[in-house]
């Protein structure tokens, strides 16, 4: 998926958000934002959004000299999501279709996205949960259900901290013994790393690996050999969030994407309104 001019405003906002997280000095915040804006002006729109975001956040970490500007925010989101799990598990247990309920709740957790919003509070998450349970859903349930029933190995590409606690609910329904969860290889935005996976207890129930990359998506060509092998070998690949959608959709891979439409660029690309919950499968084109 290609960049849009609208993506530039997001990157500028992200640079200000990160600057405010690492320093209270207004002059230092201004220097960081100016440096990022200057750097952005020298780069074109030929990259996909996750590629440019990777470069922008590398620059931010270099300028700020802070390895993970979002560390405290991620810890807070993990704790907040864990507090919600008992009541969400009860909803899944009471549901007529536990897999569908767990999938909806996993997508509801995709609202915890600092790439799209400067602050995400518990009220935002609870509103997303209510929306997940009551609003229309665009999903390829037939293929998803059949694939999840048949798969012996499922590769689950995670997205954000906090959100991965919601992913745990879906993984419990899919069968943790056949799932491998993939997190980012290094900090970028509020994307989940191994630190966050451990914070929500994922390694206690399933296999967790990192992808060897600091992109807020899955750029296969720069991911670790282990991730590339598992991606090719998995019976089913589930990818959470817009960043994974932006980096993997339309590239000839069989992937089930689970995400919430949170920006007008994505909304235009998929032809659906903002706020839509999506379960979309991209299938590999058959060989002629």
């Amino acid at each position: 998926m290609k960049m849009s001019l609208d993506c530039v405003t997001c990157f500028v906002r992200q640079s200000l958000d990160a600057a405010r997280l690492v320093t209270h000095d207004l002059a230092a915040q201004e220097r960081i934002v100016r440096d990022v804006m200057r750097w952005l002006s020298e780069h074109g729109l030929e990259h996909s959004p996750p590629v440019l975001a990777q470069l922008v956040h590398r620059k931010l970490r270099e300028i700020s000299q802070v390895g993970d500007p979002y560390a405290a925010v991620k810890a807070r989101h993990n704790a907040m999501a864990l507090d919600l799990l008992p009541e969400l598990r009860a909803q899944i247990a009471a549901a007529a279709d536990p897999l569908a309920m767990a999938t909806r709740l996993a997508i509801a957790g995709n609202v915890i996205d600092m790439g799209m919003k400067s602050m995400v509070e518990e009220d935002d998450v609870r509103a997303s949960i209510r929306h997940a349970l009551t609003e229309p859903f665009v999903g390829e349930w037939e293929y998803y259900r059949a694939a999840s029933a048949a798969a012996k190995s499922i590769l689950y590409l995670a997205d954000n901290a906090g959100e991965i606690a919601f992913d745990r609910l879906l993984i419990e329904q899919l069968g943790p013994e056949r799932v491998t969860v993939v997190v980012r290889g290094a900090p970028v935005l509020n994307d989940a790393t191994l630190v966050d996976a451990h914070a929500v207890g994922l390694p206690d129930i399933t296999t967790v690996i990192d992808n060897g990359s600091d992109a807020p998506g899955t750029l296969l060509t720069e991911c670790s050999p282990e991730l590339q092998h598992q991606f090719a070998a998995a019976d089913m690949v589930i990818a959470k969030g817009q960043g994974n959608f932006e980096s993997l959709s339309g590239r000839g891979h069989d992937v089930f994407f689970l995400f919430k439409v949170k920006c007008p660029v994505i909304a235009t690309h998929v032809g659906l309104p903002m706020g839509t919950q999506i379960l979309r499968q991209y299938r590999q084109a058959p060989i002629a």
Side-chain angles (χ1 to χ4, degrees):
M1 181 177 162
K2 291 290 184 70
M3 277 274 296
S4 161
L5 279 171
D6 292 304
C7 299
V8 175
T9 59
C10 256
F11 291 137
V12 173
R13 178 189 55 75
Q14 288 172 23
S15 69
L16 178 56
D17 290 345
R20 286 173 170 163
L21 288 171
V22 299
T23 179
H24 296 296
D25 185 323
L26 294 180
Q29 292 174 2
E30 181 179 346
R31 283 197 302 274
I32 291 171
V33 174
R34 283 184 177 276
D35 281 351
V36 170
M37 290 174 65
R38 186 179 304 110
W39 183 88
L40 274 171
S41 71
E42 298 169 355
H43 289 72
L45 302 181
E46 68 274 10
H47 302 296
S48 69
V51 170
L52 193 55
Q54 176 189 44
L55 299 175
V56 166
H57 284 274
R58 282 179 181 173
K59 190 68 177 175
L60 271 168
R61 294 193 296 273
E62 175 191 326
I63 295 167
S64 67
Q65 293 295 294
V66 176
D68 188 358
Y70 294 84
V73 175
K74 291 194 294 181
R76 182 166 60 84
H77 286 160
N78 288 331
M80 175 182 68
L82 283 173
D83 286 344
L84 293 171
L85 288 196
E87 63 185 87
L88 299 181
R89 279 202 182 93
Q91 288 181 302
I92 292 170
D97 188 339
L99 177 63
M101 175 66 78
T103 302
R104 282 178 173 266
L105 291 174
I107 295 173
N110 190 229
V111 74
I112 307 175
D113 185 350
M114 300 291 287
M116 298 307 308
K117 191 173 180 181
S118 298
M119 294 297 295
V120 179
E121 304 295 347
E122 184 172 336
D123 286 347
D124 300 308
V125 178
R126 289 190 175 277
S128 185
I129 293 169
R130 290 193 296 271
H131 181 266
L133 301 181
T134 60
E135 296 299 316
F137 188 95
V138 176
E140 296 180 277
W141 284 108
E142 178 184 346
Y143 296 109
Y144 173 73
R145 194 180 299 278
S148 62
K152 293 181 180 178
S153 61
I154 299 173
L155 193 68
Y156 195 105
L157 307 179
D159 191 15
N160 299 313
E163 179 181 351
I164 58 170
F166 290 74
D167 295 331
R168 177 172 175 160
L169 297 173
L170 177 51
I171 291 160
E172 290 169 356
Q173 292 300 313
L174 291 169
E177 69 283 349
R178 58 185 179 142
V179 176
T180 296
V181 177
V182 183
V183 294
R184 308 298 186 227
V188 58
L189 279 166
N190 68 315
D191 289 33
T193 64
L194 287 173
V195 170
D196 305 296
H198 281 279
V200 302
L202 274 176
D204 297 334
I205 66 165
T206 194
T207 302
V208 183
I209 64 171
D210 74 70
N211 67 4
S213 169
D214 64 347
T218 302
L219 307 176
L220 283 174
T221 56
E222 70 167 54
C223 287
S224 67
E226 179 184 10
L227 185 278
Q228 293 182 39
H229 170 75
Q230 296 226 25
F231 190 95
D235 294 326
M236 182 183 191
V237 178
I238 296 174
K240 287 292 301 296
Q242 291 187 159
N244 282 326
F245 177 77
E246 290 166 337
S247 52
L248 289 172
S249 62
R251 296 188 177 271
H253 306 298
D254 290 329
V255 179
F256 287 92
F257 294 98
L258 307 182
F259 63 97
K260 194 177 184 75
V261 178
K262 301 187 294 289
C263 85
V265 175
I266 294 287
T268 299
H269 183 76
V270 299
L272 292 166
M274 292 272 287
T276 303
Q277 305 163 96
I278 292 182
L279 187 168
R280 175 163 290 186
Q281 183 186 17
Y282 275 73
R283 302 176 190 86
Q284 187 169 358
I287 299 173

